Amino acid sequence: MSVFQVPTDALRLLTLLLNGVMTSLQIFFLTLLFALPLGLLTALGRMSSHKWISLPLRLYILIMRGTPLLLQLIFIYFAPFYMLPPGLKFSLHRFTAAIIAFSLNYAAYFAEIYRGGIESIPAGQYEAAAVLGFTRSQTFFKIILPQVVKRILPPISNEVITLVKDTALVQILGISELFRIAKNESSRIFSTTPLFVAGMFYLFLNWIVTKIFEQAEKKLSYYR
Amino acid sequence: MQILKVENLSKSFAGSGEVVVDVSFEINEGEVIAVIGPSGSGKSTLLRCLTLLEKIDYGTIKVAGETMVETTPEGRVVYAPEDRLRKIRLRLGMVFQNFNLFPHFSVLRNITEAPIHVRGLSPAAAREEAEKLLAKIGLADKADAYPYQLSGGQSQRVAIARALAMKPDILFFDEPTSALDPELTGEVLKVIRRLAAERMTMLVVTHEMGFAREVADRVIFMDKGQIVEEGPAERIFGDPENERTKNFLKNFNSNYGTV
């Protein structure tokens, strides 16, 4: 009856899934690395009073938040080959395409979170800084941004938790991340155990993410 | 020495019309000026124009002889170039109604941050100056506290120390006690009184008539954006000439008791 022979099969499954976890984590960290700063730039541009900066960025945010990430993955992977004129055609590495799509998509969400945070800082903070003679960039980086970070931690943690789970979407490009490996293994041994274990991995990763954000919030709770 | 000279300053906002109308006055070194008048008379807007928080629509502002902004004969308003404006700005200090302390900095750092990063003081020197200022405002024991741990009166005193740490030539106060519970105004007024005794040049927009009468060398009464009457505190409060001034002070006295 037993399809599952402890310990060799369990060990094999864990090794397989851990490989998938590594791929998922790569996507996770690279996306954060690119999307967090890109989101900030997008937010600042989105708030610009120059229409030719803010309008295109509003459109970008609309498209990124308004269409499925799954579709964006496929589009970015195939577009350079199918949509560029002959001679300019090229093929993206599937992993590269995944990172580009994820970074662009998450930057749009982060941008709106940053914007909300920045706009929630009272005008008096800018005015006090201006009267004290701080330059615009000093005001932003010393006075405004630290306060923004504290306010946006909860919504950012939401997005980061979603990102852990969204990494499963890259399987549409044939990348062997945690979910795809688990699914294939499930079919192969005709058991839901691999999927269940994969679920435990996602849960564990997000437990860590939650803990990290709790710590960060605690660290910034020294002021109100 | 003349610290501030304002000529024909006008400022309007879309929707609310002219808020400051053709205002002219000057402040000499060591003078304390109180600006009084009903709510919406343009006092705060005037202050915001003088501290570069609002752009003016017409007029001239000179700080210690240097032109901050002037209006050409054709009516074009020209501000000094950015680098000169930055220098002029350092001569001006401002204390806000709502304190506007930086909540993520300790009291000490609220005071030292600008001296270090704007004036270029060493952290040690800035700290030393800040500690002296804190002792002066009676909050030496609050150096490591955060703004949320302070009362309104303490916050405002810290805000005054923060402005003083930049060694301004003139300090502007925008209704410094209006956001405070009545029992907390005294401690803030005491600090301002002490600065007046030290001949700090100050312009105070206030609703505290007793305080204005006691501390100010000169009083400016504003109504509907205009300076209606200006003169020594004793004369404005004791024997106002203009009907509007008389009415304002009379209403004030009947509402709040004689000043």
Side-chain angles (χ1 to χ4, degrees), chain A residues 73-134:
Chain A
L73 280 163
I74 296 167
F75 181 83
I76 285 177
Y77 182 50
F78 289 111
F81 189 80
Y82 287 101
M83 291 182 69
L84 289 176
L88 288 174
K89 284 184 192 302
F90 67 95
S91 292
L92 276 175
H93 191 281
R94 56 189 76 215
F95 189 80
T96 313
I99 297 301
I100 293 174
F102 265 71
S103 299
L104 289 177
N105 179 278
Y106 271 82
Y109 283 95
F110 287 148
E112 286 298 272
I113 293 173
Y114 283 124
R115 185 171 69 88
I118 291 169
E119 287 179 349
S120 75
I121 305 296
Q125 292 289 306
Y126 291 91
E127 293 179 352
V131 171
L132 286 170
F134 288 111

Side-chain angles (χ1 to χ4, degrees), chain A residues 136-157:
Chain A
R136 280 178 63 131
S137 75
Q138 281 176 330
T139 301
F140 185 71
F141 288 107
K142 287 181 186 300
I143 310 296
I144 305 302
L145 196 58
Q147 298 184 53
V148 168
V149 168
K150 180 184 167 86
R151 291 183 189 208
I152 65 176
L153 274 180
I156 289 279
S157 78

Side-chain angles (χ1 to χ4, degrees), chain B residues 33-97:
Chain B
I33 312 280
V35 182
I36 60 169
S39 302
S41 57
K43 309 181 296 288
S44 291
T45 304
L46 172 64
L47 223 58
R48 294 173 60 82
C49 289
L50 300 179
T51 49
L52 290 161
L53 293 175
E54 299 287 351
K55 295 226 157 188
I56 65 170
D57 297 327
Y58 194 87
T60 303
I61 302 173
K62 284 184 180 160
V63 178
E66 274 194 277
T67 302
M68 180 166 106
V69 55
E70 61 188 347
T71 304
T72 64
E74 303 84 59
R76 206 161 54 86
V77 174
V78 184
Y79 276 86
E82 194 53 46
D83 54 330
R84 195 125 51 86
L85 225 43
R86 276 185 59 77
K87 284 202 187 109
I88 293 173
R89 188 164 229 169
L90 293 185
R91 295 171 172 276
L92 316 169
M94 172 87 153
V95 174
F96 298 87
Q97 185 176 336

